[in-house]
């Protein structure tokens, strides 16, 4: 008996790549992101999804809502375990500003050892998302579950499944509106697809 997790990064917001949205309130999808969400929803409607869980951020909730409509799922479950990394004082800052901060460079070099200022370590992020997957794996046997989250959260989970340190995060991409598939069972977990384009 297995559980299939479709790990979805939220679709794009208008300032993606220019600032660290983090847990900044009310960062919605932009027009391009809404189109991505619709294509993603159409792709996932073919998957016989049984449940959808999403981070509480607006951009993930909007992405999950589009998937729910297309998959005829009546409710999206909000899961704090899927929330964006708590970047603390870095949230909302532009990457131009962050790139002048030595602590930011240290974080990106050894995320396994460095805490965001006033925020989380990546090992804490990994722990919370793994706990959710373990719990849902018991509840959703032989089912397919969509988890709508953020790039670094998905990377933390994928690193664990592949037996990699969280410091391996730059070695693969998790693009907006992408799908990565993990299957779990009593035998463990394996990665089936990584960063699949929804169109």
């Amino acid at each position: 008996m297995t559980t299939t997790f479709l790990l979805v990064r939220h679709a794009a917001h208008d300032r993606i790549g220019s600032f660290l949205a983090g847990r900044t309130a009310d960062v919605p999808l932009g027009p391009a992101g809404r189109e991505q969400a619709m294509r993603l929803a159409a792709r996932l409607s073919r998957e016989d999804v049984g449940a959808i869980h999403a981070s509480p951020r607006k951009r993930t909730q909007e992405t999950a809502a589009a998937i729910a409509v297309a998959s005829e799922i009546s409710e999206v479950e909000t899961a704090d375990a899927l929330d964006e990394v708590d970047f603390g004082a870095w949230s909302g800052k532009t990457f131009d500003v962050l790139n002048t901060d030595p602590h930011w460079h240290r974080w990106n070099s050894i995320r396994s050892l460095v805490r965001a200022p006033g925020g989380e370590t990546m090992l804490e992020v990994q722990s919370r998302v793994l706990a959710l997957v373990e719990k849902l794996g018991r509840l959703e046997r032989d089912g397919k579950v969509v988890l709508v989250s953020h790039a670094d959260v998905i990377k933390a989970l994928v690193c664990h499944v592949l037996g990699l340190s969280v410091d391996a995060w730059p070695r693969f991409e998790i693009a907006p509106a992408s799908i990565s598939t993990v299957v779990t069972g009593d035998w463990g977990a394996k990665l089936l697809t990584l960063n699949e384009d929804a169109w």
Side-chain angles (χ1 to χ4, degrees), residues 3-7 49-53 136 140 143-147:
T3 306
T4 300
F5 292 95
L6 299 157
L7 313 175
V49 170
I52 303 172
H53 298 258
L136 293 177
E140 303 284 350
K144 289 187 177 181
V145 181
V146 171
L147 303 181

Side-chain angles (χ1 to χ4, degrees), residues 51-56 60-69 73-79 82 146 148:
I52 303 172
H53 298 258
S55 153
T60 48
Q61 290 288 318
E62 289 178 339
T63 304
I67 298 167
V69 169
I73 302 290
S74 61
E75 184 178 5
V76 173
E77 297 285 343
T78 298
L82 297 174
V146 171
V148 186

Side-chain angles (χ1 to χ4, degrees), residues 5 17 34 42 44 48 53 65 71-72 75 99 108 111 114 121 126 130 138 150 162 173 179 181 188-189 195:
F5 292 95
R34 288 192 290 274
L44 289 172
D48 191 26
H53 298 258
S71 297
E72 299 182 349
E75 184 178 5
N99 285 330
N108 285 308
R111 289 189 176 183
V114 179
T121 68
Q126 188 178 65
L130 286 173
R138 291 194 314 269
H150 307 268
L162 294 179
E173 183 66 27
I179 307 165
T181 307
N195 198 39

Side-chain angles (χ1 to χ4, degrees), residues 5-163:
F5 292 95
L6 299 157
L7 313 175
V8 174
R9 182 182 175 188
H10 63 80
H13 57 79
D14 280 342
R15 295 179 62 196
I16 204 159
S18 66
F19 90 124
L20 184 65
R23 294 186 176 185
T24 305
D26 295 331
V27 178
L29 299 181
R34 288 192 290 274
E35 289 182 18
Q36 286 178 340
M38 296 307 292
R39 290 194 295 267
L40 180 63
R43 158 70 180 80
L44 289 172
S45 69
R46 305 192 299 269
E47 289 290 342
D48 191 26
V49 170
I52 303 172
H53 298 258
S55 153
R57 299 301 122 196
K58 186 164 188 169
R59 56 198 182 274
T60 48
Q61 290 288 318
E62 289 178 339
T63 304
I67 298 167
V69 169
S71 297
E72 299 182 349
I73 302 290
S74 61
E75 184 178 5
V76 173
E77 297 285 343
T78 298
D80 289 339
L82 297 174
D83 203 354
E84 177 61 286
V85 177
D86 183 353
F87 289 106
W90 287 334
S91 290
K93 291 190 175 181
T94 67
F95 290 114
D96 286 342
V97 169
L98 289 169
N99 285 330
T100 66
D101 183 347
H103 190 175
W104 172 252
H105 289 287
R106 191 169 184 314
W107 154 267
N108 285 308
S109 296
I110 44 172
R111 289 189 176 183
S112 58
L113 296 177
V114 179
R115 180 180 300 279
E120 291 181 293
T121 68
M122 281 307 299
L123 292 176
E124 289 169 338
V125 174
Q126 188 178 65
S127 178
R128 62 175 160 87
V129 71
L130 286 173
L132 177 67
V133 166
E134 193 271 334
K135 174 185 172 184
L136 293 177
R138 291 194 314 269
L139 297 175
E140 303 284 350
R141 293 290 184 123
D142 286 335
K144 289 187 177 181
V145 181
V146 171
L147 303 181
V148 186
S149 190
H150 307 268
D152 284 334
V153 180
I154 294 169
K155 285 187 174 196
L157 177 55
V158 169
C159 282
H160 175 80
V161 171
L162 294 179

